[in-house]
Amino acid sequence: MRADRLVAALLLLQGRGRLTASELAGELEISVATARRDLEALSAAGIPVYPQPGRGGGWSLVGGARTDLTGLTAAEARALFLLLGPATTAAPALTSALRKLVRALPATFRADAEAAARAVVSDPAGWGEAGREPPALVRTLQDAVVAGHKVRLTYARKGSEPAERLVDPLGLVDKDGLWYLVAGTGAGRRTYRVDRVTAAEPTDLPAERPDGFDLAAEWERVVGEVERRRSLVTAVVLVAERHAGILRDHFGRHCEVLGREPDGRARLRVAAPMALSIAEQLAGWGAQVEVVEPEAVRAELARIGAELVARYAP
């Protein structure tokens, strides 16, 4: 898990004083690119980690090596826990480490650190859209979640004019590079795509947070509802084994590997809201993909093919 790596990277930096991305990659058994991204994430979040270029350079903690994490400032502790996410979704060893770290922090830091740990959930499974840089307002919304203050949002729903609403920010979710805000409103709990938030103004009004609210559990509920709406039609398809990974990446959660055919092709189940939606996504594959069932998807593919022949055949 990424959270395990971030804690391990900090401990290694503090124990050795300086590390290169290559050395960190070797210690954690990850790629150099991943190690560099983790170090950059720590630095961007406000943890005092900085790179020194040139021969003999590497990454170091400002002030040199330290023996434990309890020397973190309030802002640094908060930034670290925002990066790590909720201990409830972490591996057992990390959960134990986070509890010890919270207990070791000065009492005045603990509430913010614990709030920060509950503020963000990471969901690596995409919804068919490529990841991107976090929207500029993510940090503003994170701070509002941790501080427990209402936020006045200007939100542009797809196909609608921007509208202003006052919300109780409950947590943020990083879904493979797409960020969502889970918030309470007068009409109930809602989820907002952060890249559609055009303005976010924190207020001094205390936010209402339901007792026992669990961001990870709430996100599972949201995902389940979205998946239910997006998976109303399923189709079984056959494709060359070398292309199965491409289809899995394309359909995301809506693709399940069922097995392998005697001729070596992979058997997959894909899903979408309508038969037409599946046919449109598969039409570009031509004869490389065979739809076994249902007949509705096969009929839509035949219709699309006939339209293309009518338009483009000599």
Side-chain angles (χ1 to χ4, degrees):
M1 291 181 62
R2 185 178 187 226
D4 298 78
R5 298 199 313 266
L6 294 172
V7 170
L10 272 176
L11 293 174
L12 286 167
L13 281 167
Q14 290 177 150
R16 300 187 184 180
R18 178 174 297 165
L19 276 176
T20 65
S22 179
E23 289 169 339
L24 181 62
E27 289 286 349
L28 302 183
E29 299 182 352
I30 56 177
S31 69
V32 174
T34 297
R36 188 175 294 113
R37 283 196 297 269
D38 286 349
L39 290 164
E40 289 171 349
L42 287 169
S43 179
I47 307 299
V49 177
Y50 71 100
Q52 182 176 338
R55 188 177 182 85
W59 291 77
S60 306
L61 281 168
V62 173
R66 287 185 273 181
T67 57
D68 58 53
L69 292 173
T70 59
L72 295 173
T73 66
E76 291 163 3
R78 184 163 155 196
L80 174 60
F81 276 83
L82 277 171
L83 275 171
L84 297 180
T88 54
T89 62
L94 179 60
T95 301
S96 175
L98 292 179
R99 286 174 180 162
K100 291 176 182 176
L101 177 54
V102 168
R103 289 198 297 269
L105 290 172
T108 53
F109 294 3
R110 290 176 195 162
D112 270 5
E114 289 173 336
R118 298 191 304 264
V120 178
V121 160
S122 179
D123 181 351
W127 267 332
E129 298 182 61
R132 60 200 72 180
E133 289 298 310
L137 292 174
V138 163
R139 179 58 64 84
T140 299
L141 294 171
Q142 284 179 338
D143 289 344
V145 173
V146 175
H149 292 161
K150 291 181 183 288
V151 175
R152 188 167 282 104
L153 296 181
T154 303
Y155 188 72
R157 189 183 296 277
K158 193 173 182 179
S160 303
E161 290 296 314
E164 188 177 283
R165 56 205 72 188
L166 187 65
V167 304
D168 298 305
L170 301 176
L172 287 139
V173 178
D174 172 10
K175 187 167 181 61
D176 192 32
L178 285 173
W179 285 79
Y180 294 84
L181 171 70
V182 178
T185 73
R189 210 165 288 165
R190 296 290 185 269
T191 303
Y192 302 96
R193 269 184 59 159
V194 177
D195 60 357
R196 293 178 184 165
V197 176
T198 59
E201 178 189 350
T203 72
D204 293 328
L205 300 172
E208 297 179 14
R209 188 181 184 89
D211 292 337
F213 175 77
D214 185 324
L215 178 60
E218 173 63 15
W219 183 247
E220 282 298 314
R221 186 196 66 78
V222 171
V223 169
E225 178 61 24
V226 172
E227 299 297 347
R228 186 188 64 78
R229 294 198 303 266
R230 289 165 61 104
S231 306
L232 298 180
V233 177
T234 63
V236 175
V237 304
L238 304 179
V239 64
E241 183 73 28
R242 66 181 182 276
H243 296 319
I246 302 173
L247 273 182
R248 285 201 305 270
D249 289 343
H250 182 74
F251 281 92
R253 288 175 179 262
H254 307 289
C255 181
E256 177 188 2
V257 178
L258 300 178
R260 180 178 295 181
E261 296 296 292
D263 62 6
R265 289 184 296 173
R267 175 178 285 257
L268 309 175
R269 179 184 290 117
V270 298
M274 300 181 295
L276 175 60
S277 304
I278 296 177
E280 287 175 338
Q281 294 181 72
L282 296 179
W285 286 81
Q288 295 183 82
V289 170
E290 178 185 350
V291 175
V292 178
E293 59 179 8
E295 187 57 37
V297 174
R298 293 167 60 91
E300 290 289 359
L301 281 168
R303 182 186 59 77
I304 291 171
E307 289 179 352
L308 292 174
V309 169
R311 179 171 291 256
Y312 296 110

